[in-house]
Amino acid sequence: MLDKLRIVKQRFDEVSDLIIQPDIISDQKRYAKLNKEYKDLSKVVKKGNEYENLLSNINEAKEIISDGSDAEMVEMAKMELEEGSERIPQLEEEIKFMLIPKDPADGKNVIVEIRAGTGGDEASIFAGDLYRMYTKYAASRGWKTEVEDIADGTSGGFKEIIFSVTGEDVYGDLKFESGVHRVQRVPQTETQGRVHTSAATVMVLPEAEEFDVQINNSDVRVDYFCSSGPGGQSVNTTYSAVRLTHIPTGIVAQCQDQKSQHKNKDKAMKVLRSRIYEMELAKKLEADAAQRKTMVSSGDRSAKIRTYNYPQGRVTEHRIGLTLYDLSKIIDGDIHKIIDELKLTENTEKLKELGEANL
């Protein structure tokens, strides 16, 4: 453990020196990467310093007890030894998880796409519920959200909504939300009081910076059209809505949320860049690619990752077999426990792959 921490401290000192060099500061891509590494390493170094100080205090306490010449000091040393011995295993466990190599995209902002799946109007209403759940969770984390594109449902909610989330380590938490979310409840339009099952698909893409993905203007076809609202009605008569098609990949992104054509184009480009980046990331990270294929689907009930059962007030996270009877709080944005459990499961699996003996 100490050898690993010394290697981390050595790298931390190197990065600390690098990020103040003029040639690094002038290289935006390299500076951003090193600055993120500096922040991540500083957390490990801080925890490592606590660990080393605790080991030193324990050794010192043992020496005082062994000497035995001062009864009062011995009593204090015994208390310190007991407290330190209890804290050490906890600290070692925390450090083990901190030393697990991170997904390179974990620190990025995200683009979240929510689409109504099976279930008609009720699926659109549920997509709206999920959007509010994520915006409230983001607010609790101090993150900022902004709508990129929207298609309203005919009876409320959204057929599709795309929004960005910016803050610290956003993708590292929200990446687990990709997949099909299923709801079981009595719809507002149901007169017989029967429980219906509907679904919505969530896609979480790491937001790509300009230096992450190079897009040539000649490779992008730009189409302008009039924005439309629910039922196909015209929102305005100017051609402010923008659709971008990346010709080499066939990936499409559009935005009609803003009245300004220029703003819509910028937002659509942000989504397009992130979709291309996510595709490239999936190619590079083969282990993640297999996971993405199982987590992302068309909204069909058979590929569900989570079920929200209103009659029983129950939320079931199917990937890890977690059931919580706290639906009202969860749908109101309190998804911290679910995300923490998913992260713990992922990190435990990574530990097994790495082999704890190496840490």
Side-chain angles (χ1 to χ4, degrees):
M1 179 72 79
L2 287 172
D3 289 340
K4 277 278 184 183
L5 288 171
R6 288 188 189 105
I7 292 168
V8 170
K9 180 64 168 67
Q10 187 179 343
R11 177 59 184 166
F12 176 73
D13 291 340
E14 288 173 8
V15 174
S16 302
D17 185 53
L18 284 170
I19 58 173
I20 58 172
Q21 302 301 322
D23 59 322
I24 298 293
I25 294 170
S26 62
D27 185 339
Q28 188 187 12
K29 185 174 181 179
R30 198 171 175 207
Y31 178 77
K33 188 177 178 182
L34 284 169
N35 196 42
K36 178 69 178 73
E37 187 182 359
Y38 174 82
K39 287 180 181 177
D40 290 340
L41 288 172
S42 64
K43 293 174 186 175
V44 184
V45 169
K46 186 179 178 182
K47 193 69 72 175
N49 288 339
E50 184 187 345
Y51 179 67
E52 289 190 38
N53 289 337
L54 198 57
L55 286 177
S56 177
N57 291 343
I58 286 172
N59 288 333
E60 193 176 319
K62 285 178 178 177
E63 287 175 10
I64 291 169
I65 294 166
S66 177
D67 178 75
S69 59
D70 189 324
E72 190 175 337
M73 287 291 287
V74 167
E75 196 58 39
M76 288 175 64
K78 283 180 179 178
M79 288 174 63
E80 191 167 340
L81 180 62
E82 187 180 348
E83 287 173 8
S85 298
E86 285 179 9
R87 175 65 180 141
I88 281 290
Q90 298 170 1
L91 208 51
E92 286 179 340
E93 200 65 20
E94 289 170 23
I95 293 168
K96 279 179 186 177
F97 282 115
M98 292 179 87
L99 290 173
I100 295 169
K102 284 188 175 183
D103 181 331
D106 275 358
K108 288 188 175 292
N109 299 324
V110 302
I111 303 287
V112 182
E113 304 179 0
I114 304 175
R115 293 184 181 86
T118 53
D121 290 342
E122 172 63 13
S124 295
I125 293 167
F126 179 50
D129 293 339
L130 289 177
Y131 169 67
R132 283 185 288 277
M133 180 180 80
Y134 291 130
T135 52
K136 287 188 175 184
Y137 173 69
S140 73
R141 295 293 306 273
W143 299 339
K144 181 185 173 187
T145 59
E146 183 182 1
V147 173
E148 304 295 337
D149 194 30
I150 193 168
D152 291 304
T154 52
S155 300
F158 310 106
K159 289 179 181 175
E160 176 181 87
I161 183 164
I162 300 172
F163 61 100
S164 59
V165 186
T166 55
E168 188 175 343
D169 293 330
V170 182
Y171 183 68
D173 280 3
L174 289 184
K175 65 182 178 182
F176 300 104
E177 295 304 300
S178 287
V180 177
H181 297 243
R182 190 175 73 156
V183 64
Q184 295 172 327
R185 64 186 175 190
V186 179
Q188 297 169 8
T189 53
E190 170 58 53
T191 56
Q192 303 297 317
R194 289 173 298 188
V195 174
H196 287 228
T197 299
S198 307
T201 303
V202 176
M203 265 289 288
V204 180
L205 313 175
E207 186 182 319
E209 305 291 342
E210 285 186 36
F211 49 72
D212 285 325
V213 177
Q214 299 297 327
I215 299 176
N216 296 323
N217 290 333
S218 59
D219 288 338
V220 179
R221 188 177 74 241
V222 184
D223 297 307
Y224 300 102
F225 57 99
C226 292
S227 300
S228 61
Q233 72 211 47
S234 178
V235 171
N236 60 51
T237 53
T238 58
Y239 284 79
S240 60
V242 178
R243 182 184 298 109
L244 303 179
T245 305
H246 187 243
I247 297 165
T249 61
I251 292 174
V252 178
Q254 70 177 42
C255 181
Q256 58 179 7
D257 183 53
Q258 302 291 320
K259 291 180 180 178
S260 160
Q261 188 184 90
H262 180 71
K263 287 181 180 177
N264 279 334
K265 188 176 179 182
D266 285 347
K267 285 193 167 192
M269 181 57 78
K270 181 161 75 171
V271 174
L272 182 69
R273 192 182 294 120
S274 294
R275 286 177 179 169
I276 294 170
Y277 176 74
E278 202 271 344
M279 183 185 72
E280 292 299 320
L281 190 66
K283 287 179 184 175
K284 291 176 186 174
L285 306 171
E286 290 181 14
D288 279 1
Q291 184 184 37
R292 285 171 206 274
K293 285 170 188 171
T294 59
M295 287 170 66
V296 180
S297 186
S298 61
D300 189 82
R301 296 171 193 172
S302 62
K304 62 186 183 292
I305 63 162
R306 193 176 302 156
T307 297
Y308 306 76
N309 184 297
Y310 275 72
Q312 297 177 18
R314 167 173 55 82
V315 176
T316 303
E317 172 50 62
H318 301 286
R319 290 168 292 184
I320 55 174
L322 175 69
T323 298
L324 300 171
Y325 288 89
D326 207 2
L327 187 145
S328 57
K329 280 188 178 180
I330 290 168
I331 209 72
D332 204 38
D334 189 4
I335 56 174
H336 300 78
K337 182 170 177 58
I338 294 174
I339 289 174
D340 287 346
E341 291 292 333
L342 287 164
K343 286 171 77 172
L344 179 63
T345 301
E346 183 189 59
N347 284 336
T348 303
E349 287 171 358
K350 283 183 178 178
L351 267 181
K352 286 177 183 175
E353 288 170 16
L354 288 169
E356 289 196 34
N358 294 327
L359 289 176

